[in-house]
Amino acid sequence: MRQARTTGVAPASSDFERTTSAHAKAPLSVEGRRRLVKRCQTRPIAHVAAETGISRACTGKWVNRWRLHGDAGLQDRPDQEVGHILLLSSGLICDA
Protein backbone atom coordinates (compact mmCIF):
# COMPACT_ATOMS: atom_id res chain seq x y z
CA MET A 1 0.00 0.00 0.00
CA ARG A 2 1.29 3.41 -0.94
CA GLN A 3 1.58 6.03 1.77
CA ALA A 4 0.33 9.56 1.13
CA ARG A 5 3.13 11.95 0.31
CA THR A 6 3.49 15.15 2.32
CA THR A 7 4.59 18.27 0.54
CA GLY A 8 6.39 19.98 3.41
CA VAL A 9 4.56 23.21 2.61
CA ALA A 10 4.28 25.62 5.49
CA PRO A 11 0.77 26.86 6.23
CA ALA A 12 -0.16 30.27 4.90
CA SER A 13 -0.16 31.65 8.43
CA SER A 14 3.61 31.14 8.83
CA ASP A 15 6.07 34.02 8.48
CA PHE A 16 4.38 35.27 5.33
CA GLU A 17 1.38 37.56 5.49
CA ARG A 18 -0.83 36.71 2.54
CA THR A 19 -3.92 38.64 3.55
CA THR A 20 -2.64 42.09 4.50
CA SER A 21 -1.26 43.27 1.20
CA ALA A 22 -1.12 46.68 -0.38
CA HIS A 23 -3.57 45.80 -3.14
CA ALA A 24 -6.11 43.07 -3.78
CA LYS A 25 -4.01 41.08 -6.28
CA ALA A 26 -0.84 40.85 -4.15
CA PRO A 27 -0.61 37.52 -2.32
CA LEU A 28 2.27 38.75 -0.13
CA SER A 29 2.71 41.98 1.79
CA VAL A 30 5.96 43.91 1.50
CA GLU A 31 7.06 42.48 4.86
CA GLY A 32 6.22 38.95 3.67
CA ARG A 33 8.33 39.51 0.55
CA ARG A 34 11.19 40.79 2.70
CA ARG A 35 11.06 37.63 4.85
CA LEU A 36 10.89 35.46 1.73
CA VAL A 37 14.00 37.12 0.28
CA LYS A 38 15.83 36.83 3.60
CA ARG A 39 15.22 33.07 3.65
CA CYS A 40 16.55 32.79 0.09
CA GLN A 41 19.87 34.36 1.12
CA THR A 42 20.87 31.17 2.95
CA ARG A 43 18.83 28.52 1.13
CA PRO A 44 18.07 27.63 -2.51
CA ILE A 45 15.12 29.52 -4.00
CA ALA A 46 13.42 26.27 -5.06
CA HIS A 47 13.54 24.91 -1.50
CA VAL A 48 12.12 28.10 0.02
CA ALA A 49 9.39 28.17 -2.64
CA ALA A 50 8.37 24.59 -1.89
CA GLU A 51 8.37 25.16 1.87
CA THR A 52 6.21 28.28 1.67
CA GLY A 53 3.83 27.14 -1.05
CA ILE A 54 4.80 30.08 -3.25
CA SER A 55 5.74 29.25 -6.83
CA ARG A 56 9.40 29.08 -7.82
CA ALA A 57 8.79 31.74 -10.46
CA CYS A 58 7.19 34.17 -8.00
CA THR A 59 9.89 33.57 -5.38
CA GLY A 60 12.61 34.11 -7.98
CA LYS A 61 10.90 37.29 -9.18
CA TRP A 62 11.02 38.87 -5.70
CA VAL A 63 14.60 37.75 -5.08
CA ASN A 64 15.73 39.22 -8.41
CA ARG A 65 13.88 42.50 -7.81
CA TRP A 66 15.50 42.73 -4.38
CA ARG A 67 18.96 42.05 -5.86
CA LEU A 68 18.47 44.81 -8.45
CA HIS A 69 16.69 47.45 -6.36
CA GLY A 70 17.07 46.52 -2.70
CA ASP A 71 14.05 46.99 -0.44
CA ALA A 72 12.50 49.37 -3.00
CA GLY A 73 12.16 46.40 -5.36
CA LEU A 74 9.79 44.70 -2.89
CA GLN A 75 7.19 47.47 -3.16
CA ASP A 76 4.04 47.02 -5.24
CA ARG A 77 4.23 48.29 -8.79
CA PRO A 78 1.34 49.61 -10.86
CA ASP A 79 -0.26 47.22 -13.36
CA GLN A 80 0.57 49.60 -16.19
CA GLU A 81 3.90 51.39 -16.38
CA VAL A 82 3.65 55.18 -16.14
CA GLY A 83 4.16 56.84 -19.49
CA HIS A 84 3.08 53.77 -21.45
CA ILE A 85 2.02 54.72 -24.99
CA LEU A 86 -1.29 53.37 -26.27
CA LEU A 87 -2.22 53.04 -29.93
CA LEU A 88 -5.92 53.77 -30.24
CA SER A 89 -8.10 52.13 -32.90
CA SER A 90 -8.39 55.46 -34.72
CA GLY A 91 -4.63 55.49 -35.22
CA LEU A 92 -4.01 58.25 -32.69
CA ILE A 93 -1.27 57.77 -30.14
CA CYS A 94 -2.17 58.58 -26.57
CA ASP A 95 0.27 58.92 -23.66
CA ALA A 96 -1.46 57.10 -20.82
Side-chain angles (χ1 to χ4, degrees):
M1 180 183 288
R2 218 171 146 178
Q3 187 176 3
R5 195 172 91 175
T6 59
T7 61
V9 174
S13 62
S14 66
D15 287 341
F16 306 97
E17 304 97 32
R18 292 175 184 257
T19 56
T20 56
S21 57
H23 64 83
K25 292 182 184 178
L28 288 173
S29 67
V30 174
E31 182 59 30
R33 295 172 197 154
R34 190 173 289 115
R35 291 175 184 176
L36 182 72
V37 167
K38 185 175 179 181
R39 265 188 167 179
C40 291
Q41 291 174 343
T42 58
R43 313 219 33 238
I45 290 173
H47 293 195
V48 173
E51 292 166 359
T52 58
I54 300 168
S55 74
R56 164 66 180 86
C58 184
T59 302
K61 172 184 73 174
W62 291 118
V63 170
N64 287 329
R65 285 186 185 175
W66 179 80
R67 286 176 181 161
L68 289 172
H69 306 289
D71 282 344
L74 303 178
Q75 300 297 319
D76 290 323
R77 299 192 326 192
D79 287 340
Q80 185 178 32
E81 292 294 323
V82 177
H84 185 75
I85 305 244
L86 299 175
L87 181 61
L88 302 176
S89 60
S90 63
L92 299 174
I93 295 177
C94 175
D95 188 16

